[in-house]
């Protein structure tokens, strides 16, 4: 800034003619030392910010020239120089780089930093790009991730304001952000003059107002304020907590998150930035992708609307009369047949409901004993033979395989540590068993024993030796996943000794799924909405419906299938299981905030034929993958490959065989099979090839062909 020498009016450096008195003032500075000023970006009480370039064709930089009012002297400059070395250690992809602290010929200090080409927030607000709630949450996630990274370098920003966050123009599509972090917020700790945004933060931050000790949670409150300013496009908010509650149309979990971030009491806020990152990742995982816009509805003339309404009424009355006549005729014909089918289904339900089990799976990621991610899923399974085999959905037995939040959490934490381990616990209760503790104080407890009666359950590593006997590998071909998304969504469980008196459910294997008659009756047994619809003991729910459409890979029914029904048996009028309840179709909603609505009368059943064949393979001794994640698999393969590249095939084969004792992953099986082949242990190699997932016939057959090649067992290969 400068002052008019005639009237004393304070003017911007960009102004050459005083609007108060009309006098010409000094031209704006063209250079700062050997840096040519291209554009003055900001002029404040304590500094001037400019875009500058040092040499022709060189990349531009940001120059912040400190004025005399800033109080930057040699002592402060020395402190800034020391801070500069610390700032250089921060990842340049997420933080604005600061290059140097210099002094001009006339004694003014200035800082040279990275130039980031970005839009100002006013333009961002007016663009309306955050009307899509998913993009808004994605931006919040990127900001919180960068600040979490800063916290891991033992730094934090209690005085964070919107101006500190930059969205580079060249990466605006993925909403990448850069944080302008400068270690110390104030050049002079006793300064009383600040920019408007910082001044507003200092006036409303509860930790500053109440003179509390500043810590990481202070930065979380400031971040919550920034989130709310972006969400409302209003940087002048005052009642932050009230606005967070009243903000309509946003995701409920996001509203709660921002509300607790802005809590007056620091102990009520999220205690670490990583918890905010995980919460946003969980919200992001639920929000749908959509760029669709609602169509514009044209207003029609009232007379036309009235005529069309009358026409629709007449047509509706006609169809009602026709349906009443047709219904009366068909009712007499179908009554006897439907009563017979109803009697069969009723007898089946009464005699087999006890063999339907409630399943609960908890899984987590840990780092040296500290839980960094945890989730829980409930579903249904059913007994299919007296040896203790049960069938359910794969997304019930191994929900982690489809949990995007888990893999994002692993990707996030694996950048900082390699000691991440995965483990799970599974519990199973049959009809009539006590399974729930219904004390209100325990409903939100993180301890499973507070909500569930674990002592009466079959469990992994506990009573009954509940375990995953096998699951098929999911398809990796996009066309197969689109055409048949549920084709491999089943799993086989095993317990040592089923309760006495239970009758296994018979499987319908004598008819192809596409030959099942449409409109034939079907009942689904399970536990809709999981523990929410149960009291203290397991009580199987029955849902009735009809087959609407059939194909080789899916059966459509008009039964209601809810969360918790997954994995339950779908029983035909003949009293046999024709499939597994797997999901419902959802409909996309368009509007300011898009979402999906489950269609309760559009249930999807996985035919029982493939699961039945899969159990036969397991009973025949064919080992299967149990679906358990092994994050150490890449390092194991690297160790095995390293030995093989050194021509130490025997050591590599022995090492892989040792690793197979704790992991049944198909990739490790394939590596072991190939190594046994290379060491001429053809019998063991063939055995491993046969253990590879039976649904992928190509690889085992290739391995078998290689083993049976003429001359393989003598160590010579004939000339073709």
């Amino acid at each position: 800034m400068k002052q008019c020498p005639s009237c004393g009016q304070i003017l911007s450096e960009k102004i050459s003619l005083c609007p108060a008195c009309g006098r010409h003032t000094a031209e704006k500075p063209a250079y700062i030392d050997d840096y040519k000023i291209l554009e003055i970006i900001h002029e404040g009480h304590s500094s001037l910010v400019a875009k500058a370039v040092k040499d022709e064709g060189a990349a531009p930089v940001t120059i912040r020239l400190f004025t005399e009012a800033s109080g930057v002297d040699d002592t402060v400059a020395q402190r800034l120089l020391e801070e500069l070395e610390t700032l250089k250690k921060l990842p340049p992809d997420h933080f604005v780089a600061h290059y140097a602290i210099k002094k001009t010929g006339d004694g003014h200090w200035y800082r040279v930093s990275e130039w980031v080409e970005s839009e100002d927030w006013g333009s961002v607000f007016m663009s309306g790009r955050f009307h899509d709630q998913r993009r808004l949450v994605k931006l919040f996630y990127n900001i919180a991730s960068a600040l979490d990274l800063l916290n891991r370098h033992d730094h934090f920003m209690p005085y964070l304001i919107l101006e500190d966050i930059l969205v580079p123009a060249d990466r605006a599509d993925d909403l990448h952000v850069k944080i302008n972090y400068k270690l110390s917020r104030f050049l002079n700790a006793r300064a009383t003059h600040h920019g408007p945004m910082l001044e507003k933060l200092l006036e409303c931050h509860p930790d500053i107002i109440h003179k509390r000790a500043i810590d990481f949670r202070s930065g979380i409150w400031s971040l919550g304020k920034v989130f709310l300013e972006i969400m409302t496009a209003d940087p002048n908010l005052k009642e932050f907590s009230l606005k967070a509650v009243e903000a309509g149309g946003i995701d409920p979990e996001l509203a709660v998150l921002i509300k607790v971030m802005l809590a007056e009491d620091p102990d009520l806020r999220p205690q670490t930035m990583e918890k905010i990152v995980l919460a946003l990742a969980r919200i992001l995982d639920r929000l749908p992708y959509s760029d669709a816009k609602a169509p514009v509805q044209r207003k029609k003339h009232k007379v036309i609307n009235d005529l069309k309404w009358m026409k629709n009424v007449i047509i509706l009355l006609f169809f009602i009369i026709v349906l009443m006549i047709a219904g009366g005729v068909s009712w007499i014909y179908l009554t006897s047949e439907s009563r017979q089918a109803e009697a069969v289904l009723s007898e089946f339900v009464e005699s087999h409901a006890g063999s339907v089990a409630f399943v609960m799976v908890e899984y987590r990621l840990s780092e040296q004993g500290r839980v960094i991610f945890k989730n829980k899923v409930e579903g249904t399974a059913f007994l299919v033979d007296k040896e203790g085999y049960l069938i359910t959905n794969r997304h019930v037995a191994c929900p982690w395989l489809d949990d995007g939040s888990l893999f994002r959490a692993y990707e996030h934490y694996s950048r900082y540590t390699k000691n991440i381990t995965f483990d799970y616990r599974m519990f199973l209760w049959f009809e009539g068993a006590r399974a729930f503790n219904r004390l209100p104080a325990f409903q939100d407890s993180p301890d499973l024993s507070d909500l569930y009666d674990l002592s009466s359950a079959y469990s992994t590593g506990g009573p009954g030796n509940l375990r995953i006997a096998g699951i098929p590998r999911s398809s990796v071909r996009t066309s197969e996943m689109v055409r048949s998304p549920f084709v491999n969504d089943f799993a086989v469980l095993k317990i040592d000794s089923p309760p006495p008196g239970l009758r296994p459910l018979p499987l319908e294997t004598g008819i192809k799924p596409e030959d099942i008659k449409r409109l034939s009756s079907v009942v689904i047994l399970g536990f809709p909405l999981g523990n929410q619809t149960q009291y203290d003991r397991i009580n199987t729910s029955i849902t009735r419906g009809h087959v609407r459409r059939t194909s080789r890979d899916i059966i459509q029914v008009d039964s209601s299938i809810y969360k918790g029904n997954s994995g339950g048996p779908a029983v035909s009028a003949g009293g046999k299981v024709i499939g597994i309840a797997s999901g419902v179709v959802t409909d996309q909603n368009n509007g300011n905030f898009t979402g999906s609505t489950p269609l309760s009368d559009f249930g999807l059943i996985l035919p029982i034929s493939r699961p039945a064949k899969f159990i036969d393979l397991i009973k025949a001794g064919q080992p299967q993958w149990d679906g358990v994640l092994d994050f150490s698999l890449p390092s194991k393969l690297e160790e095995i490959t390293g030995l093989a590249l050194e021509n130490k095939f025997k050591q590599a084969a022995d090492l892989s065989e040792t690793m197979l004792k704790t992991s049944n992953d198909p990739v490790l099986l394939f590596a072991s099979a190939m190594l046994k082949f290379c060491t001429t242990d053809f019998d063991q190699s063939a055995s491993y090839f046969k253990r590879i997932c039976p649904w992928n016939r190509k690889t085992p057959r290739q391995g078998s062909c290689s083993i049976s090649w003429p001359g393989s067992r003598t160590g010579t290969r004939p000339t073709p």
Side-chain angles (χ1 to χ4, degrees), residues 334-358:
L334 296 175
T335 296
S336 59
E337 184 177 349
S338 63
R339 286 179 179 175
Q340 182 180 359
E342 178 133 349
V344 172
L345 287 174
S346 178
E347 192 278 333
F348 179 90
V349 169
E350 292 300 323
S351 60
H352 290 84
S355 299
V356 179
F358 179 88

mmCIF file of all heavy atoms in Angstrom, residues 334-358:
data_model
loop_
_atom_site.group_PDB
_atom_site.id
_atom_site.type_symbol
_atom_site.label_atom_id
_atom_site.label_comp_id
_atom_site.label_asym_id
_atom_site.label_seq_id
_atom_site.Cartn_x
_atom_site.Cartn_y
_atom_site.Cartn_z
ATOM 1 N N LEU A 334 -57.979 -71.808 -9.049
ATOM 2 C CA LEU A 334 -56.687 -71.843 -8.375
ATOM 3 C C LEU A 334 -56.765 -72.117 -6.877
ATOM 4 O O LEU A 334 -55.742 -72.393 -6.248
ATOM 5 C CB LEU A 334 -55.960 -70.502 -8.584
ATOM 6 C CG LEU A 334 -55.585 -70.154 -10.026
ATOM 7 C CD1 LEU A 334 -54.984 -68.751 -10.084
ATOM 8 C CD2 LEU A 334 -54.590 -71.166 -10.584
ATOM 9 N N THR A 335 -57.968 -72.021 -6.300
ATOM 10 C CA THR A 335 -58.075 -72.140 -4.848
ATOM 11 C C THR A 335 -57.522 -73.464 -4.334
ATOM 12 O O THR A 335 -56.719 -73.509 -3.394
ATOM 13 C CB THR A 335 -59.539 -71.974 -4.405
ATOM 14 O OG1 THR A 335 -59.962 -70.663 -4.732
ATOM 15 C CG2 THR A 335 -59.662 -72.177 -2.897
ATOM 16 N N SER A 336 -57.924 -74.559 -4.962
ATOM 17 C CA SER A 336 -57.499 -75.868 -4.467
ATOM 18 C C SER A 336 -55.992 -76.057 -4.608
ATOM 19 O O SER A 336 -55.324 -76.582 -3.715
ATOM 20 C CB SER A 336 -58.237 -76.976 -5.225
ATOM 21 O OG SER A 336 -57.966 -76.871 -6.617
ATOM 22 N N GLU A 337 -55.424 -75.605 -5.746
ATOM 23 C CA GLU A 337 -53.982 -75.767 -5.977
ATOM 24 C C GLU A 337 -53.169 -74.907 -5.011
ATOM 25 O O GLU A 337 -52.152 -75.344 -4.476
ATOM 26 C CB GLU A 337 -53.654 -75.397 -7.425
ATOM 27 C CG GLU A 337 -52.185 -75.638 -7.779
ATOM 28 C CD GLU A 337 -51.889 -75.328 -9.235
ATOM 29 O OE1 GLU A 337 -52.865 -75.129 -10.003
ATOM 30 O OE2 GLU A 337 -50.707 -75.290 -9.602
ATOM 31 N N SER A 338 -53.628 -73.664 -4.770
ATOM 32 C CA SER A 338 -52.879 -72.776 -3.888
ATOM 33 C C SER A 338 -52.923 -73.256 -2.447
ATOM 34 O O SER A 338 -51.963 -73.116 -1.694
ATOM 35 C CB SER A 338 -53.435 -71.348 -3.986
ATOM 36 O OG SER A 338 -54.774 -71.306 -3.536
ATOM 37 N N ARG A 339 -54.059 -73.837 -2.042
ATOM 38 C CA ARG A 339 -54.156 -74.363 -0.682
ATOM 39 C C ARG A 339 -53.180 -75.510 -0.464
ATOM 40 O O ARG A 339 -52.566 -75.636 0.589
ATOM 41 C CB ARG A 339 -55.589 -74.830 -0.414
ATOM 42 C CG ARG A 339 -56.574 -73.694 -0.203
ATOM 43 C CD ARG A 339 -57.965 -74.222 0.036
ATOM 44 N NE ARG A 339 -58.903 -73.141 0.266
ATOM 45 C CZ ARG A 339 -60.214 -73.319 0.415
ATOM 46 N NH1 ARG A 339 -60.736 -74.551 0.351
ATOM 47 N NH2 ARG A 339 -61.007 -72.280 0.620
ATOM 48 N N GLN A 340 -53.035 -76.341 -1.494
ATOM 49 C CA GLN A 340 -52.104 -77.459 -1.390
ATOM 50 C C GLN A 340 -50.669 -76.952 -1.277
ATOM 51 O O GLN A 340 -49.891 -77.433 -0.452
ATOM 52 C CB GLN A 340 -52.247 -78.368 -2.610
ATOM 53 C CG GLN A 340 -51.330 -79.594 -2.564
ATOM 54 C CD GLN A 340 -51.489 -80.467 -3.793
ATOM 55 O OE1 GLN A 340 -52.300 -80.156 -4.673
ATOM 56 N NE2 GLN A 340 -50.738 -81.541 -3.850
ATOM 57 N N ALA A 341 -50.297 -75.948 -2.120
ATOM 58 C CA ALA A 341 -48.942 -75.379 -2.062
ATOM 59 C C ALA A 341 -48.696 -74.702 -0.721
ATOM 60 O O ALA A 341 -47.609 -74.790 -0.152
ATOM 61 C CB ALA A 341 -48.754 -74.383 -3.208
ATOM 62 N N GLU A 342 -49.741 -74.037 -0.201
ATOM 63 C CA GLU A 342 -49.603 -73.357 1.087
ATOM 64 C C GLU A 342 -49.360 -74.351 2.209
ATOM 65 O O GLU A 342 -48.585 -74.103 3.127
ATOM 66 C CB GLU A 342 -50.856 -72.530 1.374
ATOM 67 C CG GLU A 342 -50.815 -71.825 2.704
ATOM 68 C CD GLU A 342 -51.228 -70.372 2.572
ATOM 69 O OE1 GLU A 342 -51.333 -69.880 1.433
ATOM 70 O OE2 GLU A 342 -51.412 -69.754 3.605
ATOM 71 N N ALA A 343 -50.025 -75.486 2.141
ATOM 72 C CA ALA A 343 -49.844 -76.506 3.172
ATOM 73 C C ALA A 343 -48.416 -77.050 3.158
ATOM 74 O O ALA A 343 -47.812 -77.274 4.207
ATOM 75 C CB ALA A 343 -50.852 -77.638 2.963
ATOM 76 N N VAL A 344 -47.870 -77.246 1.952
ATOM 77 C CA VAL A 344 -46.493 -77.736 1.835
ATOM 78 C C VAL A 344 -45.512 -76.726 2.421
ATOM 79 O O VAL A 344 -44.611 -77.080 3.196
ATOM 80 C CB VAL A 344 -46.152 -78.024 0.358
ATOM 81 C CG1 VAL A 344 -44.673 -78.348 0.207
ATOM 82 C CG2 VAL A 344 -46.992 -79.175 -0.163
ATOM 83 N N LEU A 345 -45.692 -75.452 2.071
ATOM 84 C CA LEU A 345 -44.783 -74.426 2.568
ATOM 85 C C LEU A 345 -44.898 -74.266 4.079
ATOM 86 O O LEU A 345 -43.902 -74.105 4.786
ATOM 87 C CB LEU A 345 -45.068 -73.092 1.873
ATOM 88 C CG LEU A 345 -44.623 -72.981 0.417
ATOM 89 C CD1 LEU A 345 -45.094 -71.656 -0.180
ATOM 90 C CD2 LEU A 345 -43.114 -73.084 0.303
ATOM 91 N N SER A 346 -46.132 -74.317 4.599
ATOM 92 C CA SER A 346 -46.332 -74.161 6.033
ATOM 93 C C SER A 346 -45.647 -75.287 6.801
ATOM 94 O O SER A 346 -44.983 -75.057 7.816
ATOM 95 C CB SER A 346 -47.835 -74.137 6.341
ATOM 96 O OG SER A 346 -48.054 -74.041 7.738
ATOM 97 N N GLU A 347 -45.790 -76.521 6.306
ATOM 98 C CA GLU A 347 -45.145 -77.656 6.970
ATOM 99 C C GLU A 347 -43.625 -77.537 6.918
ATOM 100 O O GLU A 347 -42.913 -77.854 7.873
ATOM 101 C CB GLU A 347 -45.607 -78.952 6.287
ATOM 102 C CG GLU A 347 -45.255 -80.229 7.056
ATOM 103 C CD GLU A 347 -43.817 -80.690 6.819
ATOM 104 O OE1 GLU A 347 -43.272 -80.374 5.729
ATOM 105 O OE2 GLU A 347 -43.235 -81.332 7.716
ATOM 106 N N PHE A 348 -43.118 -77.069 5.768
ATOM 107 C CA PHE A 348 -41.669 -76.921 5.622
ATOM 108 C C PHE A 348 -41.127 -75.895 6.612
ATOM 109 O O PHE A 348 -40.115 -76.129 7.286
ATOM 110 C CB PHE A 348 -41.329 -76.484 4.188
ATOM 111 C CG PHE A 348 -39.861 -76.296 3.951
ATOM 112 C CD1 PHE A 348 -39.071 -77.340 3.505
ATOM 113 C CD2 PHE A 348 -39.246 -75.069 4.195
ATOM 114 C CE1 PHE A 348 -37.722 -77.176 3.303
ATOM 115 C CE2 PHE A 348 -37.893 -74.899 4.000
ATOM 116 C CZ PHE A 348 -37.125 -75.952 3.546
ATOM 117 N N VAL A 349 -41.790 -74.738 6.713
ATOM 118 C CA VAL A 349 -41.316 -73.675 7.597
ATOM 119 C C VAL A 349 -41.279 -74.156 9.044
ATOM 120 O O VAL A 349 -40.302 -73.943 9.773
ATOM 121 C CB VAL A 349 -42.206 -72.424 7.456
ATOM 122 C CG1 VAL A 349 -41.899 -71.421 8.560
ATOM 123 C CG2 VAL A 349 -41.996 -71.785 6.097
ATOM 124 N N GLU A 350 -42.333 -74.826 9.474
ATOM 125 C CA GLU A 350 -42.404 -75.283 10.855
ATOM 126 C C GLU A 350 -41.326 -76.313 11.178
ATOM 127 O O GLU A 350 -40.803 -76.357 12.292
ATOM 128 C CB GLU A 350 -43.786 -75.880 11.137
ATOM 129 C CG GLU A 350 -44.906 -74.849 11.130
ATOM 130 C CD GLU A 350 -44.691 -73.771 12.173
ATOM 131 O OE1 GLU A 350 -44.196 -74.087 13.279
ATOM 132 O OE2 GLU A 350 -44.996 -72.597 11.867
ATOM 133 N N SER A 351 -40.989 -77.156 10.217
ATOM 134 C CA SER A 351 -40.036 -78.237 10.481
ATOM 135 C C SER A 351 -38.581 -77.857 10.227
ATOM 136 O O SER A 351 -37.682 -78.539 10.709
ATOM 137 C CB SER A 351 -40.396 -79.461 9.629
ATOM 138 O OG SER A 351 -40.353 -79.137 8.239
ATOM 139 N N HIS A 352 -38.335 -76.778 9.456
ATOM 140 C CA HIS A 352 -36.957 -76.436 9.093
ATOM 141 C C HIS A 352 -36.499 -75.068 9.585
ATOM 142 O O HIS A 352 -35.329 -74.711 9.391
ATOM 143 C CB HIS A 352 -36.784 -76.479 7.568
ATOM 144 C CG HIS A 352 -36.847 -77.861 6.990
ATOM 145 N ND1 HIS A 352 -38.042 -78.474 6.689
ATOM 146 C CD2 HIS A 352 -35.862 -78.748 6.668
ATOM 147 C CE1 HIS A 352 -37.798 -79.683 6.184
ATOM 148 N NE2 HIS A 352 -36.492 -79.874 6.161
ATOM 149 N N ALA A 353 -37.372 -74.279 10.195
ATOM 150 C CA ALA A 353 -36.967 -72.929 10.634
ATOM 151 C C ALA A 353 -35.825 -72.978 11.630
ATOM 152 O O ALA A 353 -34.983 -72.070 11.686
ATOM 153 C CB ALA A 353 -38.166 -72.196 11.239
ATOM 154 N N GLY A 354 -35.762 -74.043 12.437
ATOM 155 C CA GLY A 354 -34.687 -74.154 13.418
ATOM 156 C C GLY A 354 -33.315 -74.294 12.808
ATOM 157 O O GLY A 354 -32.293 -74.069 13.480
ATOM 158 N N SER A 355 -33.240 -74.682 11.521
ATOM 159 C CA SER A 355 -31.946 -74.867 10.849
ATOM 160 C C SER A 355 -31.442 -73.594 10.183
ATOM 161 O O SER A 355 -30.416 -73.609 9.508
ATOM 162 C CB SER A 355 -32.066 -75.980 9.796
ATOM 163 O OG SER A 355 -32.418 -77.196 10.404
ATOM 164 N N VAL A 356 -32.190 -72.490 10.356
ATOM 165 C CA VAL A 356 -31.759 -71.190 9.824
ATOM 166 C C VAL A 356 -31.035 -70.446 10.941
ATOM 167 O O VAL A 356 -31.518 -70.400 12.077
ATOM 168 C CB VAL A 356 -32.961 -70.376 9.315
ATOM 169 C CG1 VAL A 356 -32.504 -69.013 8.797
ATOM 170 C CG2 VAL A 356 -33.685 -71.147 8.228
ATOM 171 N N ALA A 357 -29.873 -69.880 10.633
ATOM 172 C CA ALA A 357 -29.006 -69.283 11.657
ATOM 173 C C ALA A 357 -28.771 -67.803 11.393
ATOM 174 O O ALA A 357 -28.707 -67.358 10.241
ATOM 175 C CB ALA A 357 -27.669 -70.020 11.713
ATOM 176 N N PHE A 358 -28.644 -67.060 12.493
ATOM 177 C CA PHE A 358 -28.278 -65.641 12.441
ATOM 178 C C PHE A 358 -26.753 -65.541 12.511
ATOM 179 O O PHE A 358 -26.116 -66.152 13.370
ATOM 180 C CB PHE A 358 -28.914 -64.912 13.632
ATOM 181 C CG PHE A 358 -28.598 -63.446 13.699
ATOM 182 C CD1 PHE A 358 -29.386 -62.525 13.035
ATOM 183 C CD2 PHE A 358 -27.519 -62.977 14.437
ATOM 184 C CE1 PHE A 358 -29.119 -61.171 13.098
ATOM 185 C CE2 PHE A 358 -27.241 -61.624 14.503
ATOM 186 C CZ PHE A 358 -28.036 -60.721 13.832
#
